[in-house]
Amino acid sequence: MPPRKKRKSAGAPKEPEEPLDFVTHIREKAQKRFASRRKNVNYDIEQNVREIRALLNINAEIFGRVIDSASNYSSGESVTLTRYGFDAVKVRQSGESTEFITEPVCSEDTFPINALLHLPDNLNGVLVVQYQAAPFNNFIDYNAFFRSALMLHDDILEPFLVKLKDHVESIHVLLGEMESWLLESQRKIEFIETTFDTKLETPSPGHLLVEEASGCNCSAHYGLTNCLRCSAYFQAHTRDATSGHRLCSPGKRFRCKKRVPKIHILKKYDHDGKFEKTFQITTESEQAKLKKCLEYMDS
């Protein structure tokens, strides 16, 4: 039986030689690439430009508000946010009195920021990406990217704007989640202020803690990592061979002073019994229980 002849590979279709035909061919390929598979897609350039501009302005405002609370944004695909607030109200016995107290806490959460750093595949490879000025030079400048996109031919621009708007909307959702997490602290402060008819200052790194006069072993410190005496990092201190305490500098026998949370007394009752409880005011159910407890104490 004679050997079968190998079929020649069809390969990629030959591109037109004529310049204008070649331009049309490239644009048709781009149109197919950006065409949306969704039904009822609005390709109106005027409306999409208006909505994208509005989203970009809002996103820039939110970004400016949340980035001050962010760290580790210069590298990696995520960012860590830090907030200061009050997460709990505690009931404690102090002598013959029952006190409702709260103390500031430092909380952290991590959010993925891939959308702020990289274009999705359906937008990539068409326009040169520009980045924001330092120190945010890892973040895409979407306003500049949008302005560059407007130079595309209308046949390409129509579907391209649809893809871009989808992506900008996803960034808006992400930034909204980040800001919402940060604002939870303020909502808790407002709850405490309303419930106890008091005024609390929003905690900050400088006012979160108070110093404790006694020395410490420097193995762990609340929140911040600087010595209250000399402002140097605790890790940079010399450890005393005898006591194990870290010293501010060789030859100076000053021990580090540790920081402890500043306690706020919200309400005090003359009560003989022993009653201790912690209400995590992060949930509405715990807030309701706290109010019930106060009603009982007031009765």
Side-chain angles (χ1 to χ4, degrees):
M1 193 173 172
R4 293 182 180 180
K5 293 182 179 180
K6 294 183 179 180
R7 292 184 178 181
K8 292 183 179 180
S9 176
K14 187 177 180 181
E15 295 180 333
E17 295 293 338
E18 291 296 322
L20 294 181
D21 291 340
F22 179 71
V23 170
T24 301
H25 171 71
I26 294 299
R27 287 177 175 172
E28 286 177 350
K29 286 180 64 177
Q31 281 181 288
K32 291 179 180 178
R33 176 185 172 184
F34 297 121
S36 177
R37 296 179 180 179
R38 296 180 299 168
K39 295 181 180 179
N40 303 320
V41 176
N42 184 5
Y43 289 104
D44 184 80
I45 291 178
E46 182 179 357
Q47 182 174 340
N48 285 328
V49 167
R50 184 184 299 111
E51 293 178 2
I52 292 172
R53 290 183 70 187
L55 283 167
L56 288 174
N57 289 334
I58 295 172
N59 287 354
E61 291 175 3
I62 300 176
F63 181 84
R65 291 194 293 265
V66 304
I67 200 64
D68 288 339
S69 302
S71 59
N72 302 327
Y73 56 76
S74 59
S75 61
E77 303 294 317
S78 62
V79 65
T80 300
L81 296 186
T82 304
R83 71 183 182 193
Y84 302 90
F86 304 91
D87 288 347
V89 172
K90 300 178 181 179
V91 185
R92 71 176 183 182
Q93 201 69 27
S94 179
E96 296 182 354
S97 299
T98 299
E99 295 176 343
F100 285 74
I101 65 169
T102 189
E103 57 189 27
V105 294
C106 173
S107 306
E108 291 185 344
D109 201 359
T110 301
F111 295 83
I113 55 170
N114 185 276
L116 294 168
L117 306 176
H118 309 289
L119 288 174
D121 291 340
N122 59 8
L123 290 175
N124 203 12
V126 179
L127 301 168
V128 176
V129 177
Q130 298 182 48
Y131 292 87
Q132 298 186 39
F136 310 122
N137 45 308
N138 284 343
F139 294 87
I140 293 175
D141 187 338
Y142 278 100
N143 189 51
F145 183 77
F146 168 62
R147 290 172 180 269
S148 297
L150 296 180
M151 292 185 285
L152 294 172
H153 189 276
D154 283 2
D155 292 344
I156 312 301
L157 183 61
E158 286 180 354
F160 189 85
L161 288 179
V162 172
K163 302 287 188 183
L164 179 58
K165 186 173 73 172
D166 287 345
H167 184 59
V168 173
E169 285 175 342
S170 70
I171 293 175
H172 179 69
V173 171
L174 168 63
L175 291 172
E177 291 174 351
M178 294 167 69
E179 184 171 47
S180 178
W181 183 82
L182 290 172
L183 291 176
E184 283 180 16
S185 294
Q186 187 58 40
R187 289 192 285 269
K188 294 170 190 173
I189 290 175
E190 292 172 357
F191 168 76
I192 294 175
E193 290 178 338
T194 302
T195 303
F196 291 93
D197 192 21
T198 187
K199 189 69 178 175
L200 290 173
E201 291 187 9
T202 303
S204 62
H207 300 90
L208 178 67
L209 309 165
V210 293
E211 62 182 280
E212 190 173 89
S214 62
C216 62
N217 60 14
C218 304
S219 59
H221 292 271
Y222 191 92
L224 306 181
T225 58
N226 291 77
C227 177
L228 292 176
R229 292 190 187 276
C230 67
S231 299
Y233 285 108
F234 286 111
Q235 292 84 343
H237 287 52
T238 303
R239 186 181 293 277
D240 182 71
T242 303
S243 66
H245 292 290
R246 293 183 184 271
L247 308 179
C248 286
S249 62
K252 290 187 177 181
R253 306 298 293 178
F254 295 121
R255 295 194 319 193
C256 297
K257 297 170 75 177
K258 65 180 177 180
R259 289 182 162 187
V260 295
K262 181 180 179 180
I263 294 175
H264 298 264
I265 299 175
L266 303 171
K267 206 162 187 176
K268 182 183 292 188
Y269 294 91
D270 293 328
H271 194 273
D272 295 334
K274 186 175 181 181
F275 177 55
E276 294 183 355
K277 186 171 177 59
T278 299
F279 297 93
Q280 298 293 338
I281 58 173
T282 54
T283 64
E284 292 184 1
S285 61
E286 283 291 291
Q287 292 177 3
K289 290 178 182 178
L290 173 59
K291 289 182 177 181
K292 285 286 185 182
C293 181
L294 287 170
E295 290 174 4
Y296 170 76
M297 297 296 291
D298 288 331
S299 62

